[in-house]
Amino acid sequence: MDIASFRALSTPSGQALLRETAEADVSEDGLLATASRLRERHDPPLVAAALTQVRLRRRARAKFGADADRMYFTQAGLEQSTRASVAAYRAGRFADRLPGARVLELGCGIGADLIARARAGLAGDGVELDPLTAEVARANVAAFGLDDLASVRVGDATEEDPAGFDAVFADPGRRTARGRVFDPRSYEPPLDVVLAMAGQVPAACVKVAPGIPHEAVPDDAEAEWVSVGGEVKEAALWLGGLAGEVGRRATLLASDTHLSGTEPHTKAEPQVWTLTPQRLDDPDVRAWGRYLYEPDGAVIRAHLVGEVADLVGGGLADPHIAYVTSDELRPTPFASAYEVEDVLPFSVKRLRAELRRREIGVLTVKKRGSAVDVDRLRRDLGFGGRRAGRGAKELTLVVTRVGRDPVALLTHPVPAA
């Protein structure tokens, strides 16, 4: 898809083609026939652009809900964009701490964060290196009627002057032709370059990979790890007037709350739980109790497992493994609870016999601190491929270790309150 073809989609005939394509069969099986039929009446480049948008919009619903059907995308832009619930949450923090601020966004992509902040009432300029992606971002700003608050221009983020802005938001590239980039020095631009620019304004937020090493977090920054529906999605560094009083936090969004308003400045309000450091010492180490708690990934990334142990009145079975155990059932959004039926020394032969004795037909295997191959273990236990146990009961098998001793816990998940 080139810029000329993309721009043609904004014309009346292009919009009509988009609507027609949205009603057509664009699945893998029907794509060729649909494309052939549309090309009989429309220019092939325009048809290709319309098909690309419709297919990407359908994929984008997982991130943007119903709003995806009026947005525009590139494949890379969709993959790297901030999902709507996270963008809305982050925009709320900008609006609460910097009301009326004007924000410079370095590397705005398709404009998800730019749009979320504009919906929260904050003006902003987005800068994007790739001309096509910048064009897509402009189209998205226009689609939401936010042209009076947000603008997009093509430019190199490293050459921008943040003077005159109240804050900077940066989303450095973390993908190359070879795949994901984990070393902050290999971001595009590198993290130290972005942080130097962010230091020129009163406040800033820099989006980083969830796996960022803690030693790479500046001393004056607040690091936040965000999960959505139990899955870690991203991390961010908050600086200056946007930083909190804690050095790190885990933020959980219950599920995707999509930008769904039809009027400018509509702000989605996701359900949010936040955990921050509360203790200075290490959590207790104790024997396995009646319940096993698996902390949310954001909690683990933020090194807040000890805080979860305090919340549930428990401790760690092993000081180096992020499983919490307790004799009490205390529901918390920060961890999933499992009732422990038995704790056994790890032995495939013994486990296979035990699962047969218990008439287990559905087996879920989880592991932490173990080198076991889960797929191979399932096969060895008689649950590989389409095969299942002979019974009708369900069980969650947790494979871990205490010290150097491998153990297996036979558990059942406790339904969330």
Side-chain angles (χ1 to χ4, degrees):
M1 182 174 61
D2 56 39
I3 290 181
S5 298
F6 177 75
R7 286 175 176 168
L9 289 177
S10 64
T11 65
S13 59
Q15 290 293 298
L17 176 58
L18 270 177
R19 290 190 293 270
E20 181 180 356
T21 307
E23 300 296 326
D25 183 359
V26 296
S27 66
E28 291 298 329
D29 292 337
L31 182 61
L32 183 59
T34 296
S36 298
R37 176 173 57 80
L38 293 175
R39 285 170 183 159
E40 293 176 355
R41 295 178 288 107
H42 303 278
D43 291 337
L46 185 59
V47 171
L51 289 169
T52 295
Q53 287 308 311
V54 169
R55 285 167 64 86
L56 288 174
R57 283 175 172 180
R58 294 185 182 182
R59 285 177 49 196
R61 289 171 184 166
K63 278 190 171 184
F64 297 96
D67 276 350
D69 291 338
R70 57 170 163 165
M71 293 177 68
Y72 298 89
F73 304 94
T74 66
Q75 181 168 325
L78 173 58
E79 292 173 354
Q80 298 172 31
S81 63
T82 302
R83 62 199 317 109
S85 56
V86 178
Y89 160 74
R90 188 155 50 219
R93 181 160 176 167
F94 269 88
D96 290 342
R97 301 200 176 204
L98 300 174
R102 182 165 170 249
V103 183
L104 172 64
E105 180 166 345
L106 305 174
C108 69
I110 62 168
D113 280 283
L114 190 67
I115 289 167
R117 288 193 306 274
R119 281 181 143 177
L122 300 181
D125 295 0
V127 179
E128 171 56 45
L129 183 62
D130 178 62
L132 175 58
T133 305
E135 194 74 22
V136 170
R138 289 191 197 99
N140 284 331
V141 169
F144 289 99
L146 297 169
D147 307 73
D148 58 331
L149 281 171
S151 65
V152 179
R153 63 177 182 272
V154 177
D156 185 337
T158 62
E159 297 177 358
E160 289 295 317
D161 181 2
F165 288 90
D166 301 297
V168 161
F169 175 72
D171 184 4
R174 296 176 298 281
R175 289 176 184 263
T176 68
R178 292 176 293 180
R180 291 182 182 273
V181 170
F182 298 98
D183 185 349
R185 294 170 297 183
S186 299
Y187 290 0
E188 296 180 354
L191 181 59
D192 58 348
V193 173
V194 174
L195 291 175
M197 296 184 67
Q200 301 176 46
V201 292
C205 177
V206 180
K207 185 176 171 181
V208 295
I212 184 172
H214 279 242
E215 56 269 23
V217 177
D219 292 338
D220 59 348
E222 176 191 332
E224 179 180 39
W225 284 264
V226 179
S227 74
V228 180
E231 183 178 350
V232 181
K233 295 300 181 183
E234 63 178 71
L237 305 180
W238 298 91
L239 300 145
L242 285 168
E245 297 179 356
V246 297
R248 63 190 189 278
R249 73 174 64 222
T251 296
L252 282 55
L253 307 186
S255 60
D256 282 316
T257 303
H258 302 294
L259 298 173
S260 56
T262 57
E263 298 297 327
H265 323 319
T266 299
K267 182 172 70 174
E269 295 289 352
Q271 190 173 15
V272 179
W273 295 276
T274 296
L275 187 65
T276 58
Q278 302 295 322
R279 56 160 51 235
L280 298 176
D281 56 343
D282 294 329
D284 294 337
V285 177
R286 51 156 294 171
W288 293 108
R290 181 177 177 183
Y291 296 99
L292 167 73
Y293 291 87
E294 181 181 32
D296 184 275
V299 170
I300 296 172
R301 298 275 192 180
H303 294 180
L304 295 172
V305 174
E307 279 69 14
V308 169
D310 290 343
L311 289 173
V312 301
L316 304 182
D318 182 284
H320 305 294
I321 297 177
Y323 278 142
V324 174
T325 187
S326 173
D327 289 319
E328 301 179 54
L329 179 59
R330 296 186 187 179
T332 172
F334 300 109
S336 300
Y338 297 82
E339 186 170 9
V340 179
E341 286 194 1
D342 209 346
V343 181
L344 307 172
F346 180 79
S347 164
V348 173
K349 182 178 180 180
R350 182 173 178 180
L351 282 172
R352 186 166 53 238
E354 189 66 22
L355 295 177
R356 188 180 299 114
R357 184 184 71 81
R358 291 170 180 260
E359 299 181 340
I360 301 302
V362 179
L363 180 69
T364 300
V365 179
K366 306 176 76 67
K367 73 165 187 173
R368 180 162 293 156
S370 170
V372 69
D373 182 299
V374 170
D375 292 334
R376 179 175 179 179
L377 177 60
R378 286 182 57 83
R379 292 194 299 270
D380 291 344
L381 295 175
F383 291 82
R386 296 183 178 180
R387 297 174 58 193
R390 299 176 181 177
K393 298 179 181 178
E394 299 184 16
L395 187 79
T396 297
L397 170 65
V398 178
V399 181
T400 185
R401 62 175 173 81
V402 176
R404 295 184 177 181
D405 300 326
V407 297
L409 291 83
L410 309 184
T411 75
H412 289 284
V414 177

